[in-house]
Amino acid sequence: MEEIITASILSIISIFAFVMSIRSFMGKGFLFNNAYIYAPKEERDQMNKNPHYKQSAIVFLLIGLIFLLNALSVLFKANWIFYVVIGVVIITIIYAIVSSIMIEKNNK
């Protein structure tokens, strides 16, 4: 029973991340991106938000995948999925860093 509850909570978090990803791909809602959040008001108004929305959308998609994989791992007691999750986490971190550098490079 514990596994079902844990998998359900992980699935709900995954669905939330997928919804945030879809909204970000559509360019709607709050922009959850450090470049936007920490920018002064004047800079936010002039900022091209599209690359930041795309970056956030892809990161939310990968986060949703991480939580979905964790839910499946708990539900099916498949410990090997843990290694896949670690791989997706590494890919997410590398993507976030590289895409931030590329966005900054394109803005200059």
Side-chain angles (χ1 to χ4, degrees):
M1 187 64 176
E2 293 174 14
E3 292 87 6
I4 294 173
I5 293 170
T6 304
S8 297
I9 292 169
L10 291 169
S11 296
I12 290 168
I13 295 170
S14 175
I15 291 168
F16 176 76
F18 287 139
V19 168
M20 294 300 295
S21 175
I22 291 168
R23 289 184 53 80
S24 292
F25 272 121
M26 294 169 56
K28 296 186 177 185
F30 184 77
L31 180 54
F32 289 97
N33 191 292
N34 285 342
Y36 179 78
I37 292 171
Y38 292 119
K41 176 86 168 112
E42 307 82 39
E43 192 176 325
R44 285 184 190 180
D45 295 337
Q46 298 174 353
M47 182 183 287
N48 179 11
K49 296 177 186 94
N50 290 337
H52 299 291
Y53 267 120
K54 182 180 176 187
Q55 179 190 38
S56 296
I58 292 171
V59 169
F60 274 119
L61 181 70
L62 291 169
I63 289 170
L65 180 61
I66 289 166
F67 279 98
L68 179 62
L69 288 169
N70 278 316
L72 293 173
S73 175
V74 168
L75 195 60
F76 297 116
K77 297 178 182 157
N79 294 332
W80 61 270
I81 294 177
F82 171 78
Y83 299 107
V84 177
V85 169
I86 295 298
V88 176
V89 168
I90 291 169
I91 289 168
T92 303
I93 292 169
I94 291 170
Y95 172 76
I97 293 169
V98 170
S99 65
S100 293
I101 291 169
M102 296 302 291
I103 290 170
E104 281 302 313
K105 202 181 265 190
N106 288 338
N107 286 341
K108 291 184 179 182

